């Protein structure tokens, strides 16, 4: 009997899962912060910001501990925490923001910054991610799944597990760092296996997986939608079959994260022989933040008792400037102070030595009781040239709706806000290999956005004068990514493109001009 099946069949529940089920979110988070502060109190960071004084606030009752935490520790952007602290850890200094020496750094380019960020991955964080992964696997017991699934393999398409050794530390994709340190019991299920996972050349890796696909029985696939879709197309083409279920009849679950799945749904369904379950995860380079806990709910439950303390910053003009940078006096709330339906940017304090760290994602609570959220965008990926407040969530939804209207597949798109005469316009770049009239597409996108967003509707009759649409082959988006050295694994095309990145994209398109324009 496969271990995965045994775990589920026996109805094993982790203590942490039960604890989260039967404890108030505030109590869980209060305990989490206290444990993080105690563990890091003797680090350079802990001494500098007087963690001992914050900790004594826990005895005072009420929220004295949180008041002190906010007063003592400033909010950190990546540039601030890296410049002041993490770069010391990168040089091999011990006990900087977390006890011990950091041996692994995840390279995260995100989707907005040009250069790579070095995010510390401590042993405690690796264990926390592993524990949350098991918690997620255990939620599969709530799904109506055939017993064969639990004997089948799990295909994880991530970054290369070949890590670069840089003196005192290793660097690489978080997915590569985690896969290189899989628990022994899991390796039996894990595909494509260690040898292929180490491959650095992305195309060679996909080709090898496609070639070997028929040798494996895969029940679960894990990976970023764009690359999984490309892989499935390769497999179908290589083996000359109609759909992926001809190769993997037991495939029932796809676990995805990193970007909204909505724009990919249509394309995926064309590659399948039968319906599968889509399960969303929120695994960032900074930690495993949330996962979908129930079938057929497009929401994720925050993990409140596994190495991360959260704070929430209302995503409003008083807290963020026009570029999405957080203001020094931004107001922050704990989990018991948030409201459903309101947008918040997340701050993390974690067992990897992040403290009040802005990760750049914007979320919305759908259920306070269950601590369930949806990701609505990024602090830097929204368009508000004139008060239209267009979120990535709105954009994804509009693309999903037009895909259905025209029965086409749009796996990639990006939007730029541009000047138009003395006023403004939105310029959409749509990636599809299906035939579609750009003018009709433009009208439908505009129509759906007016229905989805009242501010947008108002501005379309005022300062937002025009909507432009360019239709491009999907490969154009991936070629641009390749030109930036961002192919494969966890790399994603930015949904909103601004400033130098926009200039770069336009230059690239001029050199590869092959789209039709409306």
């Amino acid at each position: 009997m496969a271990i995965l099946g045994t775990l589920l069949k026996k109805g094993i529940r982790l203590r942490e899962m039960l604890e989260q089920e039967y404890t108030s979110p505030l109590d869980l988070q209060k305990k989490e912060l206290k444990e993080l502060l105690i563990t890091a109190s003797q680090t350079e960071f802990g001494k500098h910001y007087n963690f001992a004084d914050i900790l004594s606030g826990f005895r005072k009752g009420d929220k004295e501990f949180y008041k002190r935490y906010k007063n003592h520790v400033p909010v950190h952007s990546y540039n601030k925490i890296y410049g002041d602290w993490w770069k010391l850890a990168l040089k091999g200094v011990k006990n900087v923001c977390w006890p011990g020496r950091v041996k692994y750094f995840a390279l995260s380019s995100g989707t907005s910054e040009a250069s790579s960020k070095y995010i510390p991955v401590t042993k405690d964080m690796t264990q926390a991610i592993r524990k949350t992964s098991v918690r997620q696997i255990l939620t599969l017991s709530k799904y109506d799944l055939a017993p064969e699934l639990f004997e089948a393999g799990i295909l994880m398409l991530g970054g290369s597990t070949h890590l670069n050794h840089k003196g005192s530390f290793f660097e690489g994709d978080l997915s590569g760092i985690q896969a290189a340190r899989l628990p022994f019991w899991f390796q039996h299920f894990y595909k494509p296996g260690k040898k292929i996972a180490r491959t650095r050349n992305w195309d060679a890796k996909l080709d090898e997986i496609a070639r070997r696909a028929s040798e494996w029985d895969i029940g679960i696939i894990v990976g970023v939608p764009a690359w999984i879709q490309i892989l499935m197309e390769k497999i179908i083409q290589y083996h000359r079959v109609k759909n992926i279920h001809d190769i993997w009849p037991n495939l029932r679950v796809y676990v995805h994260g990193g970007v909204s799945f909505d724009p990919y749904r249509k394309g995926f369904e064309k590659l399948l022989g039968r319906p599968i379950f889509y399960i969303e995860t929120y695994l960032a380079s900074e930690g495993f933040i949330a996962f979908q806990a129930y079938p057929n709910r497009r929401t994720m439950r925050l993990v409140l008792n596994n190495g991360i303390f959260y704070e929430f910053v209302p995503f409003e003009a008083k807290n963020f400037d026009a570029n999405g940078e957080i203001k020094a006096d931004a107001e922050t709330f704990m989990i018991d102070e948030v409201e459903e339906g309101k947008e918040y940017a997340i701050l993390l304090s974690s067992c990897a030595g992040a403290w009040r760290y802005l990760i750049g994602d914007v979320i919305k609570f759908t259920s306070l009781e269950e601590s369930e959220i949806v990701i609505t965008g990024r602090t830097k990926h929204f368009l508000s040239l004139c008060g239209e407040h267009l979120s990535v969530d709105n954009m994804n939804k509009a693309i999903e709706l037009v895909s259905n209207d025209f029965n086409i597949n749009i796996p990639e798109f990006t939007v730029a806000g541009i000047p138009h005469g003395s006023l403004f316009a939105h310029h959409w770049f749509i990636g599809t290999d299906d035939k579609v009239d750009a003018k009709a597409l433009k009208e439908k996108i505009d129509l759906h956005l007016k229905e989805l967003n009242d501010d947008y509707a108002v501005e379309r009759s005022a300062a937002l004068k025009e909507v432009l649409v360019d239709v491009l082959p999907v490969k154009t988006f991936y070629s641009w990514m390749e030109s930036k050295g961002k192919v494969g694994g966890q790399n994603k095309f930015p949904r909103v493109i601004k400033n130098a990145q926009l200039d770069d994209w336009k230059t690239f398109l001029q050199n590869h001009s092959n789209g039709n324009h409306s």
Side-chain angles (χ1 to χ4, degrees):
M1 177 54 142
I3 291 182
L4 196 56
T6 314
L7 271 178
L8 288 159
K9 290 268 167 41
K10 288 189 172 167
I12 287 170
R13 307 285 299 279
L14 288 182
R15 180 194 158 84
E16 288 84 2
M17 284 178 92
L18 294 169
E19 203 176 35
Q20 176 149 345
E21 221 155 282
Y22 301 124
T23 316
S24 81
L26 175 63
D27 286 345
L28 289 171
Q29 282 283 277
K30 188 174 173 180
K31 184 179 169 200
E32 210 53 53
L33 179 61
K34 184 162 52 171
E35 284 175 6
L36 290 171
L37 291 168
I38 288 170
T39 308
S41 59
Q42 295 309 304
T43 61
E44 294 307 313
F45 191 97
K47 288 188 267 197
H48 183 81
Y49 288 115
N50 199 354
F51 279 10
D53 186 55
I54 303 169
L55 282 160
S56 62
F58 281 89
R59 300 175 66 173
K60 303 270 190 235
D62 203 25
K63 291 235 178 113
E64 179 60 28
F65 72 94
Y66 186 49
K67 263 188 225 139
R68 291 188 189 190
Y69 188 49
K70 289 200 282 192
N71 289 340
H72 284 52
V73 182
V75 168
H76 288 94
S77 63
Y78 172 76
N79 288 341
K80 179 171 170 54
I81 201 164
Y82 178 79
D84 292 353
W85 301 98
W86 287 353
K87 72 175 181 198
L88 294 170
L90 202 62
K91 286 176 183 163
V93 178
K94 286 202 296 197
N95 305 324
V96 179
C97 290
W98 197 250
R101 184 176 280 125
V102 182
K103 289 190 185 146
Y104 295 90
F105 282 84
L107 290 178
S108 164
S109 54
T111 36
S112 46
E113 269 73 34
S115 58
S116 284
K117 297 175 176 179
Y118 285 87
I119 311 290
V121 182
T122 59
K123 196 175 170 192
D124 289 310
M125 180 51 78
T126 303
Q127 285 171 341
I129 290 173
R130 200 180 282 176
K131 253 188 182 172
T132 300
S133 304
V134 173
R135 277 164 85 162
Q136 181 168 23
I137 287 170
L138 292 173
T139 63
L140 290 176
S141 60
K142 296 174 185 162
Y143 290 71
D144 178 24
L145 295 167
E148 292 79 37
L149 175 92
F150 303 119
E151 306 288 339
I154 299 178
L155 175 71
M156 296 166 82
L157 186 65
S160 171
T161 56
H162 183 100
L163 306 175
N164 297 322
H165 189 223
K166 296 276 183 152
S168 65
F169 68 92
F170 291 91
E171 64 177 32
D173 270 6
L174 177 70
S175 60
I177 293 170
Q178 286 297 127
R181 305 178 72 190
L182 285 173
F184 76 94
W185 60 265
F186 190 73
Q187 289 175 15
H188 167 68
F189 305 99
Y190 168 63
K191 296 289 180 276
K194 284 187 167 180
K195 186 163 177 271
I196 300 175
R198 281 179 67 81
T199 309
R200 291 195 207 184
N201 182 313
W202 186 251
D203 287 331
K205 179 189 276 192
L206 293 186
D207 289 342
E208 183 62 8
I209 294 172
R211 198 175 66 76
R212 301 273 309 273
S214 59
E215 299 169 23
W216 305 327
D217 175 19
I218 299 294
I220 300 172
I221 297 182
V222 183
V224 172
W227 300 113
I228 294 290
Q229 189 170 331
I230 288 168
L231 175 65
M232 291 202 297
E233 284 166 357
K234 265 184 188 291
I235 292 169
I236 290 166
Q237 196 180 349
Y238 182 89
H239 294 279
R240 297 180 180 173
V241 290
K242 279 207 182 104
N243 60 61
I244 201 70
H245 279 106
D246 290 341
I247 295 285
W248 295 329
N250 290 320
L251 177 63
R252 289 303 311 278
V253 176
Y254 169 46
V255 181
H256 61 89
V259 290
S260 168
F261 186 63
D262 293 343
Y264 300 95
R265 201 173 291 276
K266 197 94 188 151
F268 257 72
E269 281 162 9
K270 290 177 178 173
L271 303 174
L272 302 171
R274 64 182 78 99
I276 61 172
F277 289 105
Y278 300 108
I279 302 179
E280 190 171 4
T281 61
Y282 186 0
L283 172 53
S285 298
E286 294 82 3
F288 203 150
I289 292 166
F291 60 82
Q292 187 176 326
Y294 294 99
N296 309 321
R297 263 197 214 179
R298 286 201 199 176
T299 58
M300 292 179 286
R301 179 182 283 178
L302 278 175
V303 179
L304 299 176
N305 57 342
N306 195 16
I308 301 176
F309 173 74
Y310 307 93
E311 296 171 77
F312 304 94
V313 188
F315 191 49
E316 296 162 4
K318 64 178 174 183
N319 295 324
F320 290 86
D321 67 19
N323 293 320
E325 301 284 356
I326 194 164
K327 294 181 180 175
D329 59 350
E331 57 177 347
T332 64
F333 296 113
M334 281 181 66
I335 193 150
D336 63 320
E337 300 164 326
V338 293
E339 296 168 42
E340 280 179 16
K342 198 170 169 177
E343 290 197 311
Y344 296 95
I346 302 183
L347 298 181
L348 293 187
S349 299
S350 79
C351 59
W355 298 102
R356 307 201 74 209
Y357 175 72
L358 182 75
I359 62 167
D361 291 322
V362 179
I363 58 115
K364 195 189 279 183
F365 280 88
T366 56
S367 163
L368 292 179
E369 199 179 330
E370 300 276 6
S371 303
E372 294 214 322
I373 60 162
V374 290
I375 301 172
T376 60
R378 303 268 301 160
T379 53
K380 295 187 178 181
H381 285 202
F382 65 98
L383 276 180
S384 203
L385 300 175
C386 48
E388 69 272 35
H389 302 303
L390 199 62
S391 69
V392 175
D393 197 34
N394 297 151
M395 298 168 198
N396 283 324
K397 194 73 201 156
I399 289 295
E400 188 186 11
L401 293 168
V402 297
S403 298
N404 291 334
D405 292 339
F406 295 104
N407 193 24
I408 58 171
N409 175 26
I410 306 175
E412 294 298 342
F413 70 88
T414 191
V415 194
I418 56 171
H420 187 75
S422 59
L423 295 166
F424 304 99
H426 286 176
H427 190 165
W428 287 73
F429 300 88
I430 302 286
T432 182
D433 295 328
D434 298 324
K435 270 204 165 7
V436 66
D437 176 63
K439 191 167 181 295
L441 195 58
K442 163 194 148 167
E443 284 164 7
K444 280 285 191 190
I445 289 172
D446 195 30
L447 180 74
H448 288 308
L449 287 174
K450 285 175 187 167
E451 289 165 357
L452 289 165
N453 184 321
D454 295 343
D455 294 336
Y456 177 87
V458 169
E459 291 307 328
R460 278 296 281 122
S461 57
L464 189 60
K465 280 295 171 209
E466 187 55 278
V467 175
L468 307 167
V469 169
D470 278 13
V471 178
L472 304 164
V474 179
K475 74 170 188 308
T476 308
F477 289 79
Y478 301 138
S479 299
W480 184 76
M481 298 268 283
E482 209 169 333
S483 75
K484 298 270 155 276
K486 291 187 176 185
V487 69
Q490 294 168 301
N491 293 301
K492 310 172 282 270
F493 201 97
R495 291 302 183 221
V496 174
I497 198 159
K498 299 178 181 179
N499 310 331
Q501 220 177 23
L502 175 60
D503 298 338
D504 192 67
W505 170 240
K506 284 187 164 170
T507 308
F508 179 83
L509 291 181
Q510 268 162 6
N511 300 335
H512 295 71
S513 55
N514 49 6
N516 66 70
H517 179 74
S518 143

